[in-house]
mmCIF file of all heavy atoms in Angstrom:
data_model
loop_
_atom_site.group_PDB
_atom_site.id
_atom_site.type_symbol
_atom_site.label_atom_id
_atom_site.label_comp_id
_atom_site.label_asym_id
_atom_site.label_seq_id
_atom_site.Cartn_x
_atom_site.Cartn_y
_atom_site.Cartn_z
ATOM 1 N N LEU B 766 30.712 47.886 -35.416
ATOM 2 C CA LEU B 766 30.260 47.048 -34.220
ATOM 3 C C LEU B 766 31.315 47.320 -33.164
ATOM 4 O O LEU B 766 32.441 46.851 -33.197
ATOM 5 C CB LEU B 766 30.158 45.567 -34.477
ATOM 6 C CG LEU B 766 29.485 44.639 -33.422
ATOM 7 C CD1 LEU B 766 28.031 44.850 -33.453
ATOM 8 C CD2 LEU B 766 29.877 43.197 -33.568
ATOM 9 N N ALA B 767 30.813 48.022 -32.045
ATOM 10 C CA ALA B 767 31.717 48.400 -30.980
ATOM 11 C C ALA B 767 32.088 47.114 -30.114
ATOM 12 O O ALA B 767 31.256 46.303 -29.991
ATOM 13 C CB ALA B 767 31.154 49.447 -30.066
ATOM 14 N N PRO B 768 33.254 47.102 -29.508
ATOM 15 C CA PRO B 768 33.550 46.018 -28.417
ATOM 16 C C PRO B 768 32.647 46.246 -27.312
ATOM 17 O O PRO B 768 31.994 47.381 -27.164
ATOM 18 C CB PRO B 768 34.944 46.252 -28.309
ATOM 19 C CG PRO B 768 35.330 47.656 -28.493
ATOM 20 C CD PRO B 768 34.353 48.084 -29.650
ATOM 21 N N GLY B 769 32.786 45.326 -26.349
ATOM 22 C CA GLY B 769 32.019 45.323 -25.102
ATOM 23 C C GLY B 769 30.702 44.500 -25.364
ATOM 24 O O GLY B 769 29.820 44.410 -24.420
ATOM 25 N N HIS B 770 30.559 43.916 -26.440
ATOM 26 C CA HIS B 770 29.330 43.085 -26.692
ATOM 27 C C HIS B 770 29.659 41.820 -25.821
ATOM 28 O O HIS B 770 30.786 41.435 -25.645
ATOM 29 C CB HIS B 770 29.067 42.732 -28.192
ATOM 30 C CG HIS B 770 30.214 42.279 -28.954
ATOM 31 N ND1 HIS B 770 30.634 40.951 -28.835
ATOM 32 C CD2 HIS B 770 31.016 42.816 -29.814
ATOM 33 C CE1 HIS B 770 31.694 40.807 -29.660
ATOM 34 N NE2 HIS B 770 32.002 41.909 -30.254
ATOM 35 N N ARG B 771 28.506 41.174 -25.451
ATOM 36 C CA ARG B 771 28.695 40.003 -24.497
ATOM 37 C C ARG B 771 28.649 38.670 -25.255
ATOM 38 O O ARG B 771 28.266 37.674 -24.549
ATOM 39 C CB ARG B 771 27.501 40.089 -23.495
ATOM 40 C CG ARG B 771 27.711 41.138 -22.429
ATOM 41 C CD ARG B 771 27.603 42.598 -22.844
ATOM 42 N NE ARG B 771 27.069 43.501 -21.735
ATOM 43 C CZ ARG B 771 27.068 44.786 -21.836
ATOM 44 N NH1 ARG B 771 27.520 45.445 -22.944
ATOM 45 N NH2 ARG B 771 26.607 45.498 -20.903
ATOM 46 N N THR B 772 29.201 38.600 -26.408
ATOM 47 C CA THR B 772 29.293 37.248 -27.058
ATOM 48 C C THR B 772 30.462 36.401 -26.312
ATOM 49 O O THR B 772 31.284 37.025 -25.656
ATOM 50 C CB THR B 772 29.696 37.363 -28.532
ATOM 51 O OG1 THR B 772 31.013 37.987 -28.586
ATOM 52 C CG2 THR B 772 28.700 38.105 -29.346
ATOM 53 N N CYS B 773 30.274 35.068 -26.462
ATOM 54 C CA CYS B 773 31.330 34.240 -25.806
ATOM 55 C C CYS B 773 32.582 34.439 -26.490
ATOM 56 O O CYS B 773 32.688 34.873 -27.593
ATOM 57 C CB CYS B 773 30.908 32.776 -25.896
ATOM 58 S SG CYS B 773 29.278 32.464 -25.445
ATOM 59 N N ALA B 774 33.690 34.082 -25.827
ATOM 60 C CA ALA B 774 35.072 34.156 -26.445
ATOM 61 C C ALA B 774 35.041 33.261 -27.605
ATOM 62 O O ALA B 774 34.658 32.078 -27.606
ATOM 63 C CB ALA B 774 36.086 33.809 -25.438
ATOM 64 N N GLY B 775 35.587 33.810 -28.747
ATOM 65 C CA GLY B 775 35.764 32.976 -29.927
ATOM 66 C C GLY B 775 34.400 32.895 -30.747
ATOM 67 O O GLY B 775 34.303 31.961 -31.620
ATOM 68 N N CYS B 776 33.465 33.665 -30.546
ATOM 69 C CA CYS B 776 32.207 33.671 -31.117
ATOM 70 C C CYS B 776 32.178 33.845 -32.702
ATOM 71 O O CYS B 776 32.642 34.840 -33.182
ATOM 72 C CB CYS B 776 31.235 34.748 -30.568
ATOM 73 S SG CYS B 776 29.714 34.865 -31.389
ATOM 74 N N GLY B 777 31.755 32.814 -33.424
ATOM 75 C CA GLY B 777 31.643 32.789 -34.900
ATOM 76 C C GLY B 777 30.800 33.911 -35.385
ATOM 77 O O GLY B 777 31.140 34.748 -36.230
ATOM 78 N N PRO B 778 29.502 33.916 -34.892
ATOM 79 C CA PRO B 778 28.622 35.070 -35.333
ATOM 80 C C PRO B 778 29.077 36.416 -35.197
ATOM 81 O O PRO B 778 28.907 37.251 -36.075
ATOM 82 C CB PRO B 778 27.355 34.713 -34.500
ATOM 83 C CG PRO B 778 27.339 33.220 -34.293
ATOM 84 C CD PRO B 778 28.819 32.896 -34.053
ATOM 85 N N ALA B 779 29.841 36.638 -34.132
ATOM 86 C CA ALA B 779 30.363 38.079 -33.943
ATOM 87 C C ALA B 779 31.302 38.352 -35.108
ATOM 88 O O ALA B 779 31.409 39.461 -35.512
ATOM 89 C CB ALA B 779 31.065 38.088 -32.553
ATOM 90 N N ILE B 780 32.118 37.440 -35.472
ATOM 91 C CA ILE B 780 32.991 37.439 -36.504
ATOM 92 C C ILE B 780 32.260 37.825 -37.887
ATOM 93 O O ILE B 780 32.560 38.728 -38.646
ATOM 94 C CB ILE B 780 33.982 36.314 -36.744
ATOM 95 C CG1 ILE B 780 34.840 36.152 -35.459
ATOM 96 C CG2 ILE B 780 34.893 36.449 -37.941
ATOM 97 C CD1 ILE B 780 35.581 34.819 -35.361
ATOM 98 N N ALA B 781 31.239 37.068 -38.078
ATOM 99 C CA ALA B 781 30.329 37.209 -39.256
ATOM 100 C C ALA B 781 29.742 38.675 -39.328
ATOM 101 O O ALA B 781 29.749 39.340 -40.355
ATOM 102 C CB ALA B 781 29.240 36.243 -39.223
ATOM 103 N N ILE B 782 29.266 39.160 -38.140
ATOM 104 C CA ILE B 782 28.646 40.548 -38.114
ATOM 105 C C ILE B 782 29.720 41.619 -38.356
ATOM 106 O O ILE B 782 29.474 42.536 -39.163
ATOM 107 C CB ILE B 782 27.979 40.743 -36.762
ATOM 108 C CG1 ILE B 782 26.903 39.750 -36.468
ATOM 109 C CG2 ILE B 782 27.345 42.120 -36.761
ATOM 110 C CD1 ILE B 782 25.935 39.406 -37.566
ATOM 111 N N ARG B 783 30.904 41.460 -37.799
ATOM 112 C CA ARG B 783 31.994 42.402 -37.973
ATOM 113 C C ARG B 783 32.300 42.386 -39.473
ATOM 114 O O ARG B 783 32.455 43.524 -40.098
ATOM 115 C CB ARG B 783 33.188 41.967 -37.256
ATOM 116 C CG ARG B 783 33.248 42.422 -35.827
ATOM 117 C CD ARG B 783 34.611 42.371 -35.207
ATOM 118 N NE ARG B 783 35.516 43.064 -36.025
ATOM 119 C CZ ARG B 783 36.645 42.589 -36.590
ATOM 120 N NH1 ARG B 783 36.895 41.433 -36.444
ATOM 121 N NH2 ARG B 783 37.329 43.418 -37.299
ATOM 122 N N GLN B 784 32.485 41.334 -40.112
ATOM 123 C CA GLN B 784 32.921 41.088 -41.510
ATOM 124 C C GLN B 784 31.774 41.759 -42.357
ATOM 125 O O GLN B 784 32.038 42.513 -43.352
ATOM 126 C CB GLN B 784 33.181 39.670 -41.863
ATOM 127 C CG GLN B 784 34.407 39.150 -41.237
ATOM 128 C CD GLN B 784 34.661 37.665 -41.556
ATOM 129 O OE1 GLN B 784 33.882 37.057 -42.235
ATOM 130 N NE2 GLN B 784 35.802 37.108 -41.105
ATOM 131 N N MET B 785 30.521 41.449 -42.019
ATOM 132 C CA MET B 785 29.423 42.045 -42.729
ATOM 133 C C MET B 785 29.482 43.552 -42.806
ATOM 134 O O MET B 785 29.305 44.090 -43.823
ATOM 135 C CB MET B 785 28.169 41.530 -42.102
ATOM 136 C CG MET B 785 26.860 42.212 -42.666
ATOM 137 S SD MET B 785 25.333 41.866 -41.685
ATOM 138 C CE MET B 785 25.565 43.156 -40.332
#
Side-chain angles (χ1 to χ4, degrees):
Chain B
L766 188 77
H770 55 76
R771 280 68 151 173
T772 59
C773 311
C776 175
I780 298 170
I782 302 311
R783 278 196 55 233
Q784 293 177 350
M785 172 193 83

